[in-house]
Amino acid sequence: MRILISGTPGVGKTEISKILSLKFNFLYFSVSKFILENKLYTSYDSKRETYNIDDSVIQKINDQINKMDNVIIETIYPSLIDNADKIIVLRKNPFVLYKDLKDRNWGDLKIAENVEAEILGVIAQEAREWFKNICEIDVTNKSREEVVKNIIDNRCDNVDWLSDDRIQDLLIELDKIISLYENK
């Protein structure tokens, strides 16, 4: 059994993945950690404070995963994974996510791009295009135990941040921040 846990940075992927791994006695596989430990990145983008990868890592990641039977796979990029039995995309209210990323002392551009990705459902859409059947879970104001129970019980949420006018205003502000950096 392969369970894929995805979502934008700051939604709780690592914590939930590790809890599930312990609960089911499954292996835990972090795609980002595997990429960093094996130096599979192509460069570092200091403006965005992130490592860049290309398609050459996909086979190496999947070769490693294929050695595992029961595994919880954690990744920001669901399309890097060839197959999974259950696909979970964790979501978080963009205002809460913004505050959480700010509390991590992330740079303004990195925060803006990640919160914008959450608002627009970029990772959920990628997962949907790659796997078709996904389960989105809004983790906002839920305990870790509640999130894990929702995953086990297949209780999915219909997440649409854009239906909130305040979120649309936030999106405009985030676009301004991103534009400032792009025009430098």
Side-chain angles (χ1 to χ4, degrees):
M1 173 101 172
R2 291 184 184 151
I3 301 174
L4 174 65
I5 306 292
S6 196
T8 53
V11 297
K13 294 179 303 298
T14 303
E15 197 169 17
I16 295 302
S17 295
K18 288 181 176 179
I19 291 170
L20 286 168
S21 172
L22 289 171
K23 184 170 188 66
F24 292 114
N25 198 26
F26 279 19
L27 297 171
Y28 164 71
F29 183 80
S30 166
V31 171
S32 294
K33 186 176 178 185
F34 180 77
I35 289 169
L36 291 175
E37 286 178 351
N38 292 282
K39 297 181 176 39
L40 299 176
Y41 48 86
T42 56
S43 61
Y44 182 77
D45 182 340
S46 57
K47 189 186 332 186
R48 288 183 167 78
E49 305 172 57
T50 190
Y51 289 91
N52 298 314
I53 61 172
D54 62 28
D55 289 345
S56 68
V57 304
I58 295 173
Q59 187 63 49
K60 292 175 183 161
I61 291 167
N62 285 287
D63 286 348
Q64 188 66 29
I65 291 170
N66 287 334
K67 296 175 186 174
M68 305 174 202
D69 287 327
N70 294 313
V71 61
I72 306 294
I73 305 161
E74 176 212 340
T75 183
I76 297 169
Y77 306 107
S79 63
L80 293 177
I81 309 307
D82 285 343
N83 61 64
D85 301 299
K86 190 171 197 170
I87 297 86
I88 307 297
V89 179
L90 302 180
R91 307 289 305 271
K92 186 181 274 188
N93 179 284
F95 288 110
V96 176
L97 181 61
Y98 185 92
K99 181 195 173 304
D100 290 350
L101 298 180
K102 200 76 161 153
D103 289 348
R104 290 184 180 187
N105 293 315
W106 282 19
D108 290 338
L109 178 62
K110 188 170 185 170
I111 293 171
E113 287 182 334
N114 282 291
V115 173
E116 183 177 77
E118 175 60 31
I119 291 170
L120 298 175
V122 171
I123 293 172
Q125 185 59 35
E126 179 182 320
R128 198 171 285 109
E129 288 171 2
W130 200 249
F131 292 104
K132 306 295 181 245
N133 295 321
I134 70 164
C135 177
E136 293 178 78
I137 298 178
D138 179 2
V139 302
T140 312
N141 300 323
K142 287 185 178 127
S143 69
R144 295 178 300 245
E145 292 76 19
E146 287 175 285
V147 173
V148 168
K149 184 157 179 35
N150 284 359
I151 291 169
I152 293 167
D153 295 344
N154 287 315
R155 273 189 288 168
C156 308
D157 297 308
N158 182 14
V159 180
D160 176 17
W161 303 126
L162 289 171
S163 62
D164 182 338
D165 290 339
R166 297 173 312 128
I167 298 289
Q168 292 179 22
D169 293 339
L170 175 60
L171 189 57
I172 292 168
E173 293 305 311
L174 296 171
D175 280 340
K176 289 178 186 175
I177 293 169
I178 293 167
S179 293
L180 281 173
Y181 282 90
E182 288 177 348
N183 294 327
K184 284 186 179 179

